[in-house]
């Protein structure tokens, strides 16, 4: 038995065996019976990362509510486990029943970040499933993928049988039903894929042909059959209050990155930061009612026993009934040692006040994201906060007794100059001044200023932009570093090489899949992990495949260039993105569309779809 | 205020869960079971709980203990019932008693542990137990200060054969002196001229005792008979 071998021979020899045993509280163990659909949800990173992901929690329980479906989980085995598995001939297996992944009907990957792509190939290989979709047989599982990075599916087009665009809860049942129907009719793999391609939101890359211009840009993407859609529209939940949300969540034994109840208070974001992909692709904003959330929180606390509830969304302080929600949660759970946390914080003194209420239960650091060092640049990226907002918020935080502040910045933004960068250090200095005003000295204060590098992303107003060269980004990091002084200020920054690769892959076309494959063949995996990342190998992979990474990362696109993701419709129109880009260059910010509609296109995307505040 | 002393088992896949992870799993279980536990002071309040010495990763146990401070009217039988309703597969509370809040901590009273070691012993090896125990047993132990060689013989209270594949060890496990069963089996096999393959061994803690007369920690409380399952 595979299970006995894993438990008795393999697991005693690996670091953190709990990553591979499953069996956690609220995990679902179903007896597989003939005719059932077997789905394995695959996360291309280790257990502790994957189990922090909200999507997996929702879809896992949703699928398992179907009597005709078994949904299990698999994560990327860490390097020590992979070594033993390869040596002992143990195929990649699911956590719940320790069944080989290749025996499932579906292997569903979630694409959360580009640097996890080599892990996908590695997991397929460990499972004994052919890497290339075209080489799979009738008995191979259907390898499918969804999640934010799927909105540019092309770099993975060669490896994935079909992509799911948009919100999984909305479409996954149709996919399972269609599959069962096809199986009943005895259809072949090819025929099944044809049927899938007719489900709204499903993209079967093998049924679309991508052609290129002489200069290397994309000419067009066309379906092979006339009856296939020219554009694949994302799927959207219309009413969050009536959409599925699990009342139970798996409680891992291992400490995961987000080891707490995740209460999703709304989807989408109205702020319209021009660099932010999430802010564009998850539109429109749809809130859950606070009464609904309170009820969910009660059920989740009693089914999990967690001591913390995190209010998650893209910008939780924007939630309309935030005070009602927080005060009722505190009332309900305070005596039980259950804390409330609010991940992303808007720069606004009024919200620091609310935050302080929360922190009566639990105290941690406070984070603000000004993103840029000058007002000019903040207007360019449409981050609608002023220095005054920031200082008021910081003042309030210090008044309430916080001593640890984190400030997030981005470097390499369009139109950025060295003066903008100087502004970062100056902001840090001003924060110190405010602390002195409040406390008289700098005792106990730590301000961590962190700079990530701008990566232009598809479906954003900055999708046309060039990324700064690595040398330039590196110069900018050192420039900021040289200006930051004093022991109370700390400066950290991201590896520019990772941001560079991310820029190549995120705006890649089908040719980029050759590089991903080559890099994997040469040993790359866990690229987002310091101890595993090997940049030289990636550069060799570019050379050997004859692909120029700068073409993807550092080239400014013509306004009318056809993009590899233009056949994917996220609801926000290209005209809106162009308009926002023009406004960026004019240094004009755009209102938060909670105030009034800025005509991004999502309102007309689908009948019955309502934006925030529209009744 | 009251205090509950509970005995629980750790079985099956759960043997791969570390002590720290078990602590968290139990804390969550208290909340699900609606146990009226007492919270610690400070910014990060936790249930007031005290554990018997941690079990090594990968071992099964039939006798782990914890003391939990609870509200006055928590009846031990109800505690067992409520906990077992919500505990994940592989962890089970098998006994609970009310103890005095002034009782000494588990860590300070537990002196020894009894283990079963399953291992595919080479034929005939187990007949050499007596000879192995008749002399000093020098073992290299790694500690924070580096490697040192110590005689573990005085820490072995008994070593007996159960059948061809199982032995029973009774070993010191108090806060100042303890020996892991792995060291004993390894030394024994080396003494007999064989290598020890740790991944082939299945180790089960059978009981923990508060003195050499084999009294279990439960004896201190209201219930005065030895706890067996």
């Amino acid at each position: 038995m595979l299970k006995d071998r894993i438990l008795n021979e393999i697991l005693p020899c690996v670091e953190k065996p709990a990553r591979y045993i499953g069996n956690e509280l609220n995990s679902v163990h179903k007896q597989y019976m003939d005719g059932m659909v077997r789905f394995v949800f695959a996360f291309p990173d280790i257990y502790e990362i994957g189990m922090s992901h909200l999507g997996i929690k929702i879809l896992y329980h949703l699928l398992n509510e179907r009597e005709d479906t078994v949904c299990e989980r698999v994560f990327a085995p860490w390097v020590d486990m992979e070594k033993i598995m390869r040596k002992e001939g143990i195929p990649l297996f699911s956590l719940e029943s320790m069944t080989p992944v290749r025996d499932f009907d579906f292997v569903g990957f979630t694409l959360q970040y580009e640097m996890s792509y080599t892990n996908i190939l590695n997991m397929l290989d460990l499972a004994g499933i052919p890497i290339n979709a075209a080489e799979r047989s009738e008995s191979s599982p259907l390898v499918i993928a969804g999640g934010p990075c799927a909105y540019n599916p092309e770099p993975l087009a060669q490896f994935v049988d079909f992509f799911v665009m948009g919100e999984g809860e909305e479409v996954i049942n149709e996919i399972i039903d269609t599959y069962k129907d096809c199986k009943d009719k005895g259809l072949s793999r090819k025929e099944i894929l044809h049927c899938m391609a007719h489900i709204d939101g499903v993209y079967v890359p093998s049924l679309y042909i991508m052609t290129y211009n002489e200069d290397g840009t994309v000419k067009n993407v066309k379906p092979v059959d006339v009856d296939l859609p020219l554009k694949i529209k994302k799927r959207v939940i219309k009413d969050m209050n009536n959409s599925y949300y699990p009342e139970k969540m798996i409680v891992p034994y291992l400490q995961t990155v987000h080891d707490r109840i995740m209460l999703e208070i709304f989807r989408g974001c109205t702020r319209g930061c021009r660099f932010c992909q999430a802010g564009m692709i998850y539109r429109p904003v749809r809130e859950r009612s606070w009464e609904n959330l309170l009820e969910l929180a009660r059920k989740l606390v009693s089914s999990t026993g967690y001591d913390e509830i995190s209010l998650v969304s893209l910008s939780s302080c924007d939630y309309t009934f935030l005070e009602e929600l927080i005060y009722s949660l505190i009332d309900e759970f305070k005596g039980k040692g259950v804390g409330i946390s609010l991940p992303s914080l808007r720069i606004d003194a009024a919200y620091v006040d609310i935050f302080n209420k929360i922190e009566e239960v639990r105290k941690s650091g406070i984070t603000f994201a000004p993103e840029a060092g000058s007002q000019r640049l903040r207007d360019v990226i449409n981050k609608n906060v002023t220095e005054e907002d920031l200082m008021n918020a910081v003042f309030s935080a210090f008044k309430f007794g916080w001593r640890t502040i984190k400030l997030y910045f981005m470097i390499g933004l369009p139109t950025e100059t060295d003066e903008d960068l100087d502004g970062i250090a100056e902001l840090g200095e001003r924060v110190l001044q405010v602390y002195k005003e409040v406390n008289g000295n700098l005792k106990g204060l730590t301000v961590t200023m962190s700079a990530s590098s701008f990566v232009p992303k598809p479906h954003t107003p900055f999708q046309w932009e060039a990324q700064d060269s690595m040398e330039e980004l590196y110069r900018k990091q050192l420039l900021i570093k040289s200006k930051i002084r004093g022991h109370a200020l700390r400066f950290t920054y991201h590896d520019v090489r990772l941001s560079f690769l991310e820029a190549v892959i995120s705006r890649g076309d089908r040719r980029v899949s050759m590089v991903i494959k080559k890099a994997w063949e040469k040993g790359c995996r866990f690229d987002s992990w310091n101890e595993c990342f090997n940049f030289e190998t990636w550069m060799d992979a570019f050379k050997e495949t004859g692909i120029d990474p700068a073409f993807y990362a550092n080239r400014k696109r013509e306004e009318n260039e056809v993009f590899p993701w233009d056949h994917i419709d996220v609801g926000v129109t290209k005209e809106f993105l162009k308009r926002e880009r023009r406004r960026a260059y004019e240094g004009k910010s755009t209102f938060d569309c909670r105030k009034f509609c800025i005509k991004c296109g999502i309102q007309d995307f689908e009948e019955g779809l309502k934006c925030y505040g529209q009744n | 205020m009251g205090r509950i002393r509970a005995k629980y088992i750790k079985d099956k896949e759960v043997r791969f869960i570390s002590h720290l992870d078990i602590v968290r799993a139990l804390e969550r279980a208290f909340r699900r079971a609606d146990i009226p536990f007492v919270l610690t002071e400070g910014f990060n309040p936790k249930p007031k709980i005290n554990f018997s010495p941690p079990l090594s990763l990968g071992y099964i146990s039939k006798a782990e203990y914890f003391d939990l401070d609870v509200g006055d009217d928590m009846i031990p039988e109800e505690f067992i019932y409520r906990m077992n309703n919500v505990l994940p597969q592989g962890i089970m509370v098998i006994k609970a008693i009310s103890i005095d809040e002034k009782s000494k901590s588990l860590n300070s009273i537990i002196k020894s542990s009894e283990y079963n070691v399953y291992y595919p012993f080479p034929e005939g090896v187990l007949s050499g137990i007596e000879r192995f125990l008749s002399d000093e047993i020098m073992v290299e132990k790694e500690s924070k200060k580096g490697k040192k060689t110590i005689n573990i013989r005085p820490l072995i209270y008994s070593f007996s054969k159960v059948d061809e594949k199982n032995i029973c060890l009774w070993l010191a496990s108090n806060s100042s002196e303890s020996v892991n069963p792995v060291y004993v089996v390894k030394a024994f096999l080396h003494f007999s001229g064989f290598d020890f393959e740790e991944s082939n061994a299945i180790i089960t803690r059978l009981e923990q005792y508060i003195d050499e007369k084999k009294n279990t920690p439960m004896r201190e409380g209201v219930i005065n008979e030895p706890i067996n399952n």
Side-chain angles (χ1 to χ4, degrees):
Chain A
M1 274 296 287
L2 180 61
K3 186 170 178 167
D4 290 337
R5 276 193 73 196
I6 293 165
L7 289 179
N8 297 330
E9 295 168 31
I10 309 296
L11 293 188
C13 308
V14 299
E15 179 197 329
K16 296 201 185 178
R19 284 170 175 162
Y20 314 104
I21 58 174
N23 231 353
E24 313 92 319
L25 184 85
N26 297 332
S27 59
V28 182
H29 298 261
K30 275 190 185 174
Q31 185 66 42
Y32 169 72
M33 291 197 275
D34 246 11
M36 282 170 103
V37 177
R38 284 176 152 184
F39 191 106
V40 61
F41 203 108
F43 196 97
D45 210 318
I46 58 164
Y47 178 90
E48 294 93 312
I49 308 274
M51 281 309 290
S52 302
H53 174 237
L54 181 60
I56 196 172
K57 293 173 198 269
I58 298 175
L59 294 176
Y60 175 81
H61 291 287
L62 175 64
L63 280 172
N64 275 320
E65 291 213 343
R66 289 178 69 117
E67 273 179 23
D68 60 0
T69 305
V70 182
C71 180
E72 303 196 353
R73 293 162 296 151
V74 65
F75 301 89
W78 185 244
V79 254
D80 63 334
M81 181 65 169
E82 180 192 343
K83 207 169 150 192
I84 297 179
M85 287 170 75
R86 290 199 187 272
K87 185 170 151 242
E88 300 290 327
I90 304 277
L92 189 72
F93 57 90
S94 65
L95 291 195
E96 278 77 0
S97 61
M98 296 195 175
T99 303
V101 163
R102 61 168 175 261
D103 294 345
F104 281 78
D105 297 290
F106 288 94
V107 182
F109 283 97
T110 178
L111 311 179
Q112 298 294 316
Y113 32 91
E114 290 81 4
M115 298 320 288
S116 67
Y117 287 1
T118 53
N119 280 1
I120 295 177
L121 304 195
N122 203 40
M123 285 170 80
L124 290 174
D125 186 59
L126 272 169
I129 298 168
I131 302 291
N132 291 321
E135 287 161 26
R136 287 181 199 134
S137 69
E138 288 298 321
S139 65
S140 303
L142 290 166
V143 177
I144 73 175
C149 294
Y151 288 119
N152 177 16
E154 299 307 332
L156 292 177
Q158 192 183 328
F159 317 117
V160 172
D161 292 304
F162 67 84
F163 293 89
V164 182
M165 300 301 161
E167 291 164 334
E169 308 97 303
E170 189 65 18
V171 58
I172 194 81
N173 278 326
E174 280 171 53
I175 290 170
I176 303 288
D177 290 340
T178 305
Y179 180 78
K180 282 187 75 178
D181 201 41
C182 291
K183 278 281 167 189
D184 286 347
K185 289 179 186 150
L187 298 186
S188 69
R189 185 180 185 89
K190 225 179 153 184
E191 290 164 320
I192 294 175
L193 286 175
H194 261 273
C195 293
M196 292 292 173
H198 285 95
I199 300 176
D200 289 338
V202 170
Y203 172 55
V204 183
S206 58
L207 300 180
Y208 290 77
I209 292 164
M210 184 172 261
T211 51
Y212 301 93
N213 297 311
E214 267 175 35
D215 64 3
T217 56
V218 174
K219 191 170 183 192
N220 61 35
V221 179
K222 273 190 184 157
V224 294
D225 278 331
V226 284
D227 64 336
L228 291 167
L230 291 171
K231 280 209 163 206
I232 295 90
K233 288 175 78 171
K234 75 166 179 188
R235 295 294 292 267
V236 192
I237 291 169
K238 289 184 182 133
D239 178 3
M240 287 298 284
N241 281 319
N242 288 315
S243 81
Y244 178 79
Y245 203 75
E247 294 175 359
K248 282 182 177 181
M249 283 183 186
I250 292 177
V251 184
Y253 285 107
L254 279 181
Q255 188 149 27
T256 56
V257 180
H258 298 294
D259 205 7
R260 51 190 80 101
I261 291 171
M262 284 193 252
L263 200 59
E264 190 189 26
I265 56 179
F266 65 89
R267 247 175 237 184
C269 179
T270 51
R271 306 227 137 229
C273 299
R274 290 171 181 138
F275 55 85
C276 180
Q277 188 187 39
M280 300 292 155
I281 60 180
Y282 289 113
R283 284 174 185 231
V285 163
R286 289 145 293 154
E287 296 189 337
R288 271 180 202 276
S289 73
W290 69 271
E291 295 93 341
N292 177 343
L293 289 166
L294 181 62
E295 188 53 34
L296 273 175
R298 275 189 200 121
K299 286 176 178 159
L300 285 165
V301 169
S302 75
S303 70
T304 64
Y306 266 123
D307 63 357
E308 188 177 344
I309 301 169
S310 179
L311 307 180
V312 302
S313 73
L314 290 171
S315 173
S316 293
C317 291
D318 285 340
Y319 180 62
T320 312
F321 301 101
L322 189 64
E323 290 189 36
E324 287 86 341
L325 177 63
I326 284 178
Y327 293 144
S328 60
L329 286 172
I330 289 176
D331 262 7
E332 176 92 22
F333 298 114
K334 202 170 176 179
K336 296 177 181 167
V338 178
I340 318 293
S341 64
L342 204 52
S344 49
L345 195 67
R346 222 177 92 187
I347 303 174
D348 192 328
Y351 290 98
V352 175
D353 190 30
I354 294 179
F355 207 60
N356 188 51
K357 280 278 180 312
I358 298 173
E359 293 291 315
E360 282 175 10
V361 186
R362 198 143 301 172
K363 203 112 190 168
S364 58
I366 194 164
T367 304
F368 300 107
E371 305 291 3
S374 71
Q375 195 55 49
R376 186 200 68 79
L377 194 51
R378 282 194 293 273
D379 288 341
V380 168
I381 63 176
N382 204 36
K383 187 87 197 178
N384 285 316
V385 291
T386 63
E387 191 163 325
E388 204 188 333
D389 294 334
L390 177 65
M391 293 311 145
N392 285 339
V394 167
F395 180 81
S396 221
F398 291 152
K399 273 267 181 218
F400 286 124
W402 267 281
R403 288 153 177 260
T404 306
I405 300 257
K406 275 189 198 157
L407 298 175
Y408 287 166
F409 296 94
M410 212 177 260
I411 58 168
L413 290 162
T415 78
E416 183 178 77
T417 64
D418 286 359
E419 284 78 65
D420 299 315
L421 299 172
D422 291 345
I424 292 176
E426 285 157 19
L427 267 186
E429 288 293 328
R430 294 226 27 209
V431 172
L432 297 189
Q433 288 309 317
V434 173
Y435 191 84
K436 264 190 199 161
E437 264 172 55
V438 177
N439 293 310
N441 54 36
L442 290 179
K443 237 176 170 173
L445 174 68
T446 312
V447 181
T448 305
M449 316 187 41
S450 139
S452 61
S453 300
F454 169 61
V455 178
K457 292 274 168 133
H459 307 288
T460 66
F462 289 159
Q463 61 180 348
W464 289 269
E465 300 302 322
Q467 186 183 48
D468 272 352
S469 69
M470 284 189 284
E471 293 73 27
E472 177 66 357
L473 288 170
Y474 192 57
R475 184 190 71 82
K476 288 179 175 178
Q477 289 177 343
L478 292 183
L479 178 72
I480 299 169
K481 205 178 166 188
S482 71
K483 303 258 159 114
I484 288 178
R485 284 181 204 95
H487 62 276
L489 289 180
R490 256 184 232 155
F491 181 59
T492 62
Y493 44 86
H494 289 199
D495 189 334
V496 295
R497 301 170 307 171
L498 269 175
S499 307
F500 173 66
L501 288 178
E502 219 182 289
V504 174
I505 298 171
S506 70
R507 289 186 296 172
D509 52 37
R510 287 192 181 182
R511 294 166 298 192
V512 169
S513 58
M514 293 191 284
V515 181
I516 297 170
K517 190 164 176 227
K518 183 58 85 182
W520 167 71
E521 284 167 354
K522 296 172 86 66
C524 289
R525 66 211 57 178
F526 287 109
D527 298 297
S528 52
W529 293 77
N530 256 338
E531 57 267 58
C532 298
F533 180 50
N534 192 332
F535 185 63
E536 283 66 41
T537 308
W538 273 96
M539 293 318 281
D540 289 343
F542 281 114
K543 254 178 236 145
E544 286 174 38
T545 49
I547 286 168
D548 173 20
F551 175 81
Y552 296 95
N554 311 120
R555 180 175 60 90
K556 197 164 189 161
R557 275 71 165 164
E558 293 297 322
E559 190 166 50
N560 292 319
E561 181 171 327
V562 176
F563 290 139
W565 53 90
D566 274 352
H567 54 298
I568 308 298
D569 187 357
V570 297
V572 169
T573 62
K574 210 170 177 178
E575 280 58 50
F576 167 73
L577 298 178
K578 283 181 186 170
R579 182 176 6 121
E580 277 300 295
R581 184 185 183 222
R582 273 197 300 276
R583 290 177 69 88
Y585 277 99
E586 290 162 8
K588 283 185 192 157
S589 60
T590 299
F591 273 113
D592 182 327
C593 59
R594 281 181 192 246
K595 294 182 181 130
F596 57 82
C597 180
I598 54 166
K599 302 273 182 276
C600 68
I602 197 73
Q603 261 198 34
D604 309 317
F605 184 60
E606 203 179 306
E607 208 170 313
L609 197 63
K610 279 181 190 154
C611 266
Y612 173 82
Q614 223 192 340
N615 287 309
Chain B
M1 292 294 186
R3 186 174 285 175
I4 293 266
R5 172 163 294 170
K7 179 180 187 180
Y8 67 98
I9 60 172
K10 191 179 169 191
D11 201 3
K12 297 179 187 157
E13 288 93 336
V14 179
R15 73 179 197 265
F16 295 113
I17 307 297
S18 73
H19 180 68
L20 265 176
D21 293 335
I22 290 286
V23 174
R24 269 205 313 275
L26 283 169
E27 285 174 0
R28 288 167 189 161
F30 299 148
R31 211 165 274 118
R32 292 194 299 276
D34 239 330
I35 304 291
F37 53 78
V38 176
L39 286 173
T40 57
E41 304 285 320
F43 285 127
N44 208 352
K46 296 267 178 207
K48 267 193 179 163
I49 189 168
N50 179 285
F51 283 86
S52 57
L55 186 73
S56 301
L57 190 69
Y59 293 9
I60 293 167
S61 180
K62 294 187 184 301
E64 297 299 299
Y65 295 88
F66 63 79
D67 292 345
L68 177 74
D69 285 7
V70 290
D72 277 332
D73 43 7
M74 190 79 233
I75 304 161
E77 287 71 19
E78 188 187 350
F79 180 81
I80 299 178
Y81 175 78
R82 285 217 225 157
M83 286 298 285
N84 288 340
N85 249 340
V86 301
L87 278 170
Q89 220 186 344
I91 308 177
M92 193 164 91
V93 176
I94 52 170
K95 201 99 204 178
I97 55 176
S98 290
I99 60 163
D100 193 308
E101 280 168 79
K102 292 181 196 83
S103 304
K104 286 183 185 163
S105 76
L106 286 162
N107 237 324
S108 66
I109 57 168
I110 287 176
K111 302 290 183 212
S112 62
S113 292
E114 195 171 23
Y115 299 93
N116 183 85
V117 180
Y118 164 91
Y119 190 79
F121 290 105
E123 221 185 304
V125 160
L126 293 177
S127 60
I129 296 175
E130 224 167 288
R131 248 180 344 112
F132 171 65
L133 294 176
S134 67
D135 203 353
E136 286 189 337
I137 302 166
M138 301 309 288
V139 165
E140 204 171 69
K141 263 185 112 174
E142 273 185 68
S143 70
K144 281 167 204 151
K145 287 177 191 162
K147 284 180 184 172
K148 64 173 182 184
T149 307
I150 58 158
N151 177 20
I152 59 168
R153 181 61 190 87
L155 308 179
I156 304 174
Y157 300 155
S158 82
F159 183 150
S160 57
K161 173 181 158 182
V162 177
D163 57 35
E164 292 311 319
K165 285 184 172 171
N166 289 282
I167 55 165
C168 186
L169 295 172
W170 183 26
L171 308 172
S173 67
N174 62 60
S175 45
S176 57
E177 278 189 318
S178 73
V179 63
N180 192 305
V182 163
Y183 283 111
V184 180
V185 181
K186 197 173 169 184
F188 171 64
L189 283 166
H190 280 181
F191 170 81
S192 317
F194 292 96
D195 277 338
F196 174 58
E197 292 279 344
E198 197 173 337
S199 64
N200 288 336
I202 299 176
I203 299 173
T204 308
R205 175 135 81 187
L206 300 173
E207 190 48 274
Q208 304 187 62
Y209 300 106
I210 59 175
D211 57 30
E212 287 79 12
K213 287 182 223 110
K214 293 203 177 188
N215 281 330
T216 75
M218 287 292 189
R219 278 221 158 188
E220 264 214 329
V222 179
I223 304 169
N224 233 354
E225 72 271 15
I227 314 295
N228 290 314
N229 41 68

